[in-house]
Amino acid sequence: MRETLERADRASMQLLTGAGLALVSYLFVGVLLFTAVACLIVVGLGVLPETVLLLRRMARFKRRQVARCSGVEIPEAYAPLTGTLTARVRAALRDPGTWRDLRWLVAHFAYGLVFLYAMLALWVFGALVDGVWCGLLRRKAVVLPLIGRLAVLDAAWSRTLLMPAPQALRAAELAERVEELTATRADAVAAHGAELRRIERDLHDGAQARLVSLSMRVGLAKRAYDKDPDAARKLLDDAQLQAEEALTELRHVVRGIHPPILTDRGLVGAVRALAAGSGLDVTVRDDGVEAGSRAPAAVEAAAYFVVAEALTNAAKHSGAERASVDLARHRTGLRIVVRDEGRGGADEAGTGSGLLGMRRRVAALDGIMEVNSPAGGPTAVEVELPCVW
């Protein structure tokens, strides 16, 4: 009996909320009449978009309530109300979602109150019948469970009335995809600009400075060659050292653009080299990445830099001694998982973490990156990079 009462109580709360929303719908009729009159006199056209937005908020509240009760999400598909007043009014009137929400509003005002009255009657009747049938005779309740069915019916009707048309849903998904690609493109441009500035800085502060010093030493050696050969030889030795250091700097810059080791040894070999030089005890597991054709160069480079940054973060910030790198080949892409047994708490907003740069690099290839790093560890960075093998 207690379990039956608890279920009936939860269903009653849903129906009471729906009835309260039905009463709000009744009050909203006055808002609709005011909006209609305002639109007739033209001066009040600005009220229409705001009224439609209020209607959308009510429908969104009902969607969330249905999702909490049934576990099934109801997607939204609305045209954005932006631009000039004329454009907003035209979008509000032409949006099928506006008329769908109005249809739900009228219908819900009727069945929301009907379900409320039916629920009250079932509580009165169920308290008498199930109180004896279930409470005293220990039989299965027959009346109070009907309240739960009313709640299910309320959710089903609301879902049917609020579900967007397939065309509207596809249009909304397309608009969302366009926004996502716009943001991704902006991140890719920002990441590319940052990479160019880094290369310029490395060349200016490293190789260029050493080449200038090399030129000066060679010039001094030429002047001192006839008068002091020993000093000239010393200057040439220094110049040779400067040349070697400049070559080292240039190799470092080249590796930052596209690591040659990727071309020579492939992704798995390059990752094993990273693991060997990371200072951690790193286990590298390969699940078919080297089988058959290789991934595109851009995908291999993104995967390499993700692993390099993740291992660098683990060595610097996590306090871990061990880590693992899993590379897995899928039909539609490449999956990388980097785990460490450190203290966790990785924060993309933190300075020096490099996680934001990793996410931008992955997003530029339409990939997905997830970071799971609870306080106390462990930390796992999972990346999915789509590609055609």
Side-chain angles (χ1 to χ4, degrees):
M1 186 64 181
R2 181 182 297 109
E3 184 179 352
T4 300
L5 288 173
E6 289 176 354
R7 282 199 293 261
D9 182 62
R10 287 193 297 269
S12 299
M13 290 302 299
Q14 177 185 343
L15 294 173
L16 283 172
T17 305
L21 190 58
L23 293 176
V24 174
S25 304
Y26 176 75
L27 299 176
F28 193 75
V29 173
V31 177
L32 291 176
L33 293 176
F34 172 77
T35 302
V37 173
C39 291
L40 288 176
I41 62 176
V42 181
V43 180
L45 279 175
V47 180
L48 179 60
E50 301 303 323
T51 303
V52 172
L53 289 175
L54 181 59
L55 177 61
R56 290 180 180 181
R57 292 188 185 99
M58 295 175 60
R60 184 176 296 117
F61 176 82
K62 186 62 179 179
R63 286 188 177 92
R64 291 175 179 174
Q65 183 201 26
V66 171
R68 285 195 302 268
C69 297
S70 63
V72 179
E73 297 285 342
I74 305 177
E76 292 186 359
Y78 292 120
L81 302 183
T82 56
T84 63
L85 176 60
T86 304
R88 296 176 66 199
V89 171
R90 186 181 295 114
L93 292 177
R94 291 181 177 179
D95 185 10
T98 301
W99 307 106
R100 181 183 60 247
D101 289 349
L102 280 175
R103 180 189 62 183
W104 162 78
L105 186 74
V106 174
H108 185 263
F109 174 70
Y111 69 76
L113 294 179
V114 169
F115 287 162
L116 174 64
Y117 298 143
M119 179 200 71
L120 295 175
L122 287 173
W123 267 112
V124 174
F125 190 57
L128 297 174
V129 174
D130 289 339
V132 176
W133 186 254
C134 181
L136 297 179
L137 300 180
R138 303 297 180 184
R139 303 293 181 86
K140 187 176 180 180
V142 293
V143 177
L144 291 179
L146 296 178
I147 299 176
R149 295 185 182 180
L150 284 179
V152 171
L153 189 60
D154 172 75
W157 286 7
S158 298
R159 187 183 307 111
T160 301
L161 291 170
L162 291 173
M163 181 66 68
Q167 303 91 326
L169 191 58
R170 283 195 296 269
E173 291 174 350
L174 180 60
E176 183 179 357
R177 180 60 175 162
V178 169
E179 292 181 1
E180 180 182 349
L181 290 176
T182 302
T184 300
R185 183 183 64 180
D187 287 343
V189 171
H192 179 66
E195 190 71 8
L196 288 178
R197 289 191 296 273
R198 182 191 65 79
I199 293 172
E200 181 183 8
R201 184 176 61 252
D202 290 346
L203 288 174
H204 181 273
D205 298 340
Q208 180 177 329
R210 297 187 186 280
L211 289 174
V212 170
S213 177
L214 169 64
S215 177
M216 293 176 62
R217 290 179 183 275
V218 171
L220 291 173
K222 288 173 63 177
R223 293 182 182 182
Y225 184 76
D226 293 331
K227 298 179 181 179
D228 190 352
D230 292 335
R233 190 176 297 107
K234 177 68 168 56
L235 289 172
L236 288 175
D237 291 338
D238 292 341
Q240 182 180 11
L241 179 61
Q242 291 285 341
E244 293 174 352
E245 291 176 348
L247 285 174
T248 302
E249 291 286 346
L250 288 174
R251 291 192 187 99
H252 176 73
V253 173
V254 170
R255 282 197 298 270
I257 299 172
H258 183 82
I261 193 172
L262 279 175
T263 304
D264 299 337
R265 298 173 58 180
L267 179 60
V268 176
V271 169
R272 293 188 188 279
L274 281 175
S278 67
L280 301 175
D281 181 10
V282 182
T283 302
V284 179
R285 288 184 285 269
D286 165 32
D287 186 6
V289 174
E290 292 185 330
S293 60
R294 291 175 56 173
V299 173
E300 284 192 344
Y304 176 87
F305 285 116
V306 163
V307 174
E309 186 65 36
L311 290 179
T312 300
N313 288 342
K316 287 184 177 180
H317 308 294
S318 72
E321 296 181 355
R322 294 184 300 276
S324 65
V325 180
D326 295 332
L327 303 173
R329 173 175 177 154
H330 297 287
R331 184 176 59 86
T332 58
L334 174 67
R335 185 169 186 264
I336 308 106
V337 181
V338 182
R339 291 187 178 88
D340 68 70
E341 303 299 326
R343 64 176 64 94
D347 182 12
E348 292 190 36
T351 58
S353 67
L355 292 176
L356 181 58
M358 294 165 60
R359 189 175 294 279
R360 284 178 172 177
R361 188 181 290 272
V362 170
L365 297 176
D366 205 19
I368 300 173
M369 172 177 163
E370 294 183 1
V371 180
N372 183 14
S373 182
T379 296
V381 178
E382 301 183 16
V383 173
E384 295 275 355
L385 293 172
C387 68
V388 178
W389 298 92

